[in-house]
Amino acid sequence: MKDFTALSPRELAPYIQHTLIAVGTTRDETIAHAKEAAEYGFDAAMVAGSWVALTAEVLRGTGVTIASALDFPTVGVMTSAGKAAEAAELVRLGAQELDMGVQVGWLRSGDFDGFREDIAGVVRAAGVPVKVMLELPLLTDAEKAAAVELACEAGAAYLKNASSGQIEVASPESIRYLVERAPEGVLVKASGGIKSRQQVVELLSAGAAKVGTSAGIAIVTDTSDAQTQSY
């Protein structure tokens, strides 16, 4: 296993998906965000769907992945058909990876087939890696196990512990839970309240392949402190 504790803050950048999904984000802020992703060597620029085309234009030729999210930040409110259509459109605009919210309420209601097909529809429509936000803290032990199994059956490329820090500050325990249950070929992304080098190291050491955070620059410049915010 790689010794992530030996990596400098800047060497963590290739594991970080640099995230900017906030109400009122402007064109100039989006351009700056995309340029930061290239400058600091982040794995991806994660942006709202409305800014995917612009981000793809700015990052063309840089090798930085363009990522976006759907049924987010409020998870489980879109129809399955709407999700699939949005996934296809985001990929057409330039998204190379998608993070998606799941139907937690359907899962908790026992509609396992609906939960699985909701994810599978996005996977089929996208044709790019789909990361599934499982919202683990909202689930019972039995529901967590079912969510992992169903998401993998649906074709998820990545399992995520949560959609944001409002649901869970990403923990090594949650990441290990997913890593231990993910079949070969399915990876894990950590998300939620990640704002320090130490957190990133702990999450990667627990088995995460990538982490998503809006505090990427503070992390890789080793300037995060008690005032640093992250979603």
Side-chain angles (χ1 to χ4, degrees), residues 107 112 115 134 136 139-153 159 177-178 181-183:
L107 179 72
F112 291 176
F115 180 87
L134 294 179
L136 293 182
L139 306 177
T140 65
D141 289 346
E143 289 165 350
K144 289 178 185 178
V148 170
E149 181 177 351
L150 294 167
C152 293
E153 289 176 358
L159 303 175
Y177 178 89
L178 295 176
R181 289 160 179 79

Side-chain angles (χ1 to χ4, degrees), residues 8-10 39-40 42 197 215-224:
S8 69
R10 185 64 181 254
E39 176 185 353
Y40 290 96
F42 291 119
R197 173 186 177 276
I217 292 177
I219 291 168
V220 301
T221 58
D222 207 16
T223 57
S224 61

Side-chain angles (χ1 to χ4, degrees), residues 115-126:
F115 180 87
R116 182 199 302 108
E117 184 55 29
D118 183 68
I119 299 167
V122 170
V123 171
R124 288 193 299 268

Side-chain angles (χ1 to χ4, degrees), residues 152-171:
C152 293
E153 289 176 358
Y158 286 80
L159 303 175
K160 290 182 62 176
N161 58 300
S163 58
S164 71
Q166 290 185 324
I167 301 297
E168 178 187 51
V169 174
S171 69

Side-chain angles (χ1 to χ4, degrees), residues 16-78:
I16 294 174
Q17 299 209 314
H18 188 39
T19 303
L20 178 64
I21 299 181
V23 175
T25 298
T26 67
R27 177 183 178 86
D28 287 346
E29 289 168 342
T30 300
I31 291 172
H33 179 77
K35 289 181 176 179
E36 289 165 358
E39 176 185 353
Y40 290 96
F42 291 119
D43 171 75
M46 169 69 71
V47 297
S50 54
W51 292 118
V52 164
L54 175 63
T55 302
E57 179 183 339
V58 174
L59 289 174
R60 185 175 293 113
T62 65
V64 177
T65 297
I66 294 90
S68 190
L70 53 91
D71 205 8
F72 172 83
T74 302
V75 170
V77 298
M78 292 180 67

